């Protein structure tokens, strides 16, 4: 059975490789305009991404979406340094939630599964100088919430409650178990 990851994320690719899953990448192009609670948003977007991939029969398509939720709002990827600063300042010294939704579609809609995983992330109190130094690395600009926990942004984080890989963008253990249960791996 062929496994297809409907994502161009280098982090998701790396996690799939880490788990020893053989797969190919076909990036889906979907409208990501959405509203609703965070769990609905990530689950619906993961489904949209998986459904948009043209895949042959006897295949499994995996779609995923991650968002950072803090202060009653979704923090996307910052457009510029000012927005990155505002996001990191908001996260400084607080707890926020990271949601990752995953959709798994087997054989062109024959079977669809999806789930949402939630993890809490606690930031150290950050000085303005720390925030500016982190922004100067360029790392915040392609990451929801303006940080990458698996990269230099790790020094901003005090602790994580839940699945670390949910914060990275793919709860790989849960995904692996779902794929086993569907008969896609063995």
């Amino acid at each position: 059975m062929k496994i297809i990851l409907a994502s161009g994320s280098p982090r998701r690719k790396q996690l799939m490789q880490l788990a020893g899953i053989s797969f190919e990448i076909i990036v889906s192009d979907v409208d990501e305009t959405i509203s609703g609670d965070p769990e609905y948003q990530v689950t619906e977007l993961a489904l949209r991404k998986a459904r948009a991939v043209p895949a042959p029969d006897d295949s499994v398509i995996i779609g995923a979406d991650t968002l950072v939720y803090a202060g009653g709002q979704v923090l996307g990827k910052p457009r510029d340094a000012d927005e990155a600063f505002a996001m990191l300042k908001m996260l400084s010294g607080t707890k926020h939630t990271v949601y990752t939704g995953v959709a798994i579609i087997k054989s062109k809609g024959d079977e669809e599964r999806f789930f949402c995983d939630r993890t809490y992330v606690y930031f150290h109190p950050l000085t303005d100088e720390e925030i500016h130094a982190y922004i100067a690395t360029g790392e915040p600009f392609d990451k929801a919430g303006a940080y990458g926990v698996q990269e230099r942004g790790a020094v901003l984080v005090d602790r994580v409650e839940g699945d670390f890989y949910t914060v990275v963008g793919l709860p790989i253990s849960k995904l692996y178990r779902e794929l086993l249960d569907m008969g896609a791996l063995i």
Side-chain angles (χ1 to χ4, degrees):
M1 183 170 301
K2 179 184 272 188
I3 297 176
I4 298 167
L5 178 62
S7 173
S9 164
R11 291 163 289 282
R12 289 188 182 116
K13 176 183 175 184
Q14 185 178 35
L15 290 173
M16 294 280 287
Q17 291 169 334
L18 176 76
I21 300 171
S22 296
F23 66 99
E24 68 178 67
I25 294 173
I26 301 176
V27 179
S28 60
D29 183 27
V30 299
D31 177 12
E32 293 193 33
T33 306
I34 194 165
S35 60
D37 68 68
E39 289 187 22
Y40 170 77
Q41 288 186 44
V42 296
T43 303
E44 176 62 24
L45 289 174
L47 280 164
R48 286 183 194 176
K49 291 173 182 179
R51 289 174 180 154
V53 169
D57 289 339
D58 199 32
S59 63
V60 172
I61 304 118
I62 300 165
D65 192 72
T66 301
L67 68 75
V68 174
Y69 190 74
Q73 62 183 321
V74 173
L75 302 183
K77 296 175 184 176
R79 291 182 294 262
D80 56 31
D82 290 338
E83 192 171 43
F85 183 87
M87 287 182 189
L88 293 167
K89 189 75 170 174
M90 176 194 294
L91 298 176
S92 175
T94 66
K95 172 180 102 170
H96 63 276
T97 310
V98 178
Y99 296 87
T100 294
V102 177
I104 310 162
I105 299 177
K106 186 175 181 181
S107 295
K108 289 294 191 184
D110 183 44
E111 182 180 358
E112 288 188 354
R113 294 186 184 193
F114 53 88
F115 63 87
C116 175
D117 204 54
R118 176 183 64 212
T119 297
Y120 299 108
V121 179
Y122 295 79
F123 263 40
H124 290 289
L126 307 173
T127 65
D128 289 358
E129 293 77 21
E130 285 177 287
I131 294 171
H132 286 299
Y134 180 62
I135 292 169
T137 68
E139 189 174 292
F141 299 108
D142 69 338
K143 299 184 179 55
Y147 74 96
V149 70
Q150 73 285 359
E151 295 173 347
R152 291 175 102 166
V155 301
L156 310 176
V157 176
D158 177 37
R159 69 185 186 279
V160 173
E161 288 180 6
D163 188 340
F164 173 81
Y165 295 110
T166 293
V167 184
V168 177
L170 193 64
I172 194 65
S173 179
K174 191 176 271 191
L175 171 61
Y176 189 87
R177 296 286 160 211
E178 288 289 335
L179 291 170
L180 277 175
D181 189 55
M182 292 174 79
L185 294 178
I186 298 175

